[in-house]
Amino acid sequence: PTLAQTAGKTLRVAAVGLLPRSAPHWVIFVQRMAEIGYLEGKNFVFDYAQVATADALEAQYREAVTRKPDVVVAGTEVSLLAARAAASKLPIVMIAVDHDPIARGHVASLARPGGQVTGVYSQNSELAAKHLQLMKEMMPDVATAAVFWDWSAANYWAALQREAPKRGVKLAGVELTKRPYEYEAVLGGLAAAERRFLIAQSSPFFYLDRVALAQAAIKHRTAWFAHLREPVAAGALMQYGATTAEMWALAADYVDQIAKGAKPADLPVRQPTRFELTINLKTARALGLTVPPALLAQADEVLE
């Protein structure tokens, strides 16, 4: 019998991540599970563990597997690699933002994943060109962009390097390796012309540190282009990308389908359809910037 047909059965979902369980995407995931009938404390256990470093992910997933989850969820490629190593026989729902799951061998194709993994694929790397275009619309005179990246944002950094020459943009790339990241010191070490505009995307650490990074950027009069809405609310200048709400609600829908007997191999990988542009006008004023009216008109949300 499928899980849904087994009266009184509790669905157990395991996940491990670098962000706290209170992070918006996990909140959205649990809310969506409740909407479709999986209530914590009744018929649903969300077995979530936060770890401090990527190196700890696999051991934590292995521990979660001992509690016999029905489905495993992985929100970054490093989490997915750890989950696949630890849970080789369990269905895995991925939320791929920082990598191409076909190119990286996690699924055979979007239409027919073919293995234990399915889920959501948001092509953040493919948005690199759009991000550079929006940067030029916001600040047409900027010729150089600083780029912060780490191991988890390496694919996006590579995509920016491919796209920047086509737009006449130079990149001042800075790889951040040692936690905690010293944003203020790194920005202070860049030439003034290099730090007018900062692209820092994809890394869960940039998200986790969004308040500190936003404060450092404003202090150095740096316009930070972020990945999601939450960093813009914390003081980044702007973001453009798929919505957290859509991606993580879709992840919950996959968990539901698997609980009802579907196999990941047969569930096509879905891609988000909603992309949003958010601009923080208060930050623009703090940086002495006037947002072009044409760009404001494109914005889905303007924060005052």
Side-chain angles (χ1 to χ4, degrees):
T2 69
L3 202 137
Q5 294 162 338
T6 313
K9 175 82 167 83
T10 293
L11 172 67
R12 177 177 282 271
V13 174
V16 184
L18 293 158
L19 299 181
R21 191 192 148 124
S22 58
H25 57 280
W26 293 124
V27 172
I28 288 161
F29 174 75
V30 172
Q31 282 174 344
R32 178 61 185 157
M33 291 298 292
E35 284 169 13
I36 50 185
Y38 299 94
L39 301 171
E40 287 194 278
K42 289 196 168 180
N43 60 348
F44 174 50
V45 173
F46 183 43
D47 185 356
Y48 182 72
Q50 181 185 6
V51 292
T53 66
D55 296 342
L57 285 163
E58 189 178 324
Q60 197 65 52
Y61 269 115
R62 287 192 187 283
E63 189 181 313
V65 167
T66 65
R67 294 188 286 276
K68 302 203 170 357
D70 301 289
V71 185
V72 174
V73 175
T76 59
E77 187 181 25
V78 70
S79 294
L80 178 57
L81 287 165
R84 290 187 68 186
S88 56
K89 301 210 165 37
L90 292 170
I92 298 174
V93 175
M94 66 173 181
I95 300 84
V97 175
D98 56 345
H99 65 282
D100 177 339
I102 304 169
R104 307 285 286 178
H106 301 302
V107 297
S109 71
L110 298 184
R112 301 281 297 176
Q116 73 181 120
V117 178
T118 188
V120 190
Y121 170 35
S122 168
Q123 300 150 293
N124 199 47
S125 294
E126 293 183 18
L127 292 178
K130 177 72 172 175
H131 294 158
L132 290 167
Q133 175 205 321
L134 287 166
M135 178 192 93
K136 292 298 272 185
E137 286 182 43
M138 176 65 81
M139 297 169 70
D141 63 327
V142 168
T144 303
V147 182
F148 284 1
W149 64 283
D150 61 11
W151 52 267
S152 64
N155 291 305
Y156 178 74
W157 165 234
L160 277 178
Q161 289 175 290
R162 287 193 300 273
E163 295 297 331
K166 301 175 193 173
R167 281 161 180 75
V169 176
K170 287 196 176 74
L171 301 177
V174 181
E175 182 183 7
L176 299 167
T177 54
K178 191 164 180 285
R179 296 284 296 158
Y181 296 159
E182 301 288 346
Y183 301 110
E184 202 165 305
V186 176
L187 278 172
L190 292 170
E194 292 176 332
R195 63 167 182 255
R196 286 185 61 207
F197 199 97
L198 168 68
I199 301 174
Q201 301 225 358
S202 293
S203 168
F205 291 122
F206 301 155
Y207 183 95
L208 190 64
D209 301 341
R210 59 192 178 275
V211 172
L213 180 45
Q215 287 173 347
I218 289 169
K219 180 179 174 182
H220 287 285
R221 299 186 70 77
T222 301
W224 173 25
F225 195 131
H227 170 42
L228 294 165
R229 182 196 178 278
E230 291 84 13
V232 182
L237 176 65
M238 62 195 292
Q239 67 83 217
Y240 177 83
T243 68
T244 307
E246 183 184 15
M247 288 190 294
W248 289 84
L250 281 173
D253 293 345
Y254 275 106
V255 170
D256 176 45
Q257 289 178 73
I258 292 166
K260 288 173 174 161
K263 292 187 165 44
D266 303 326
L267 291 173
V269 173
R270 291 176 65 182
Q271 294 178 283
T273 54
R274 286 176 54 211
F275 292 84
E276 289 187 349
L277 172 65
T278 311
I279 297 171
N280 187 322
L281 276 187
K282 185 179 172 191
T283 298
R285 284 194 293 272
L287 297 172
L289 291 174
T290 302
V291 180
L295 195 56
L296 269 182
Q298 291 177 53
D300 298 277
E301 187 178 8
V302 176
L303 303 179
E304 294 286 353

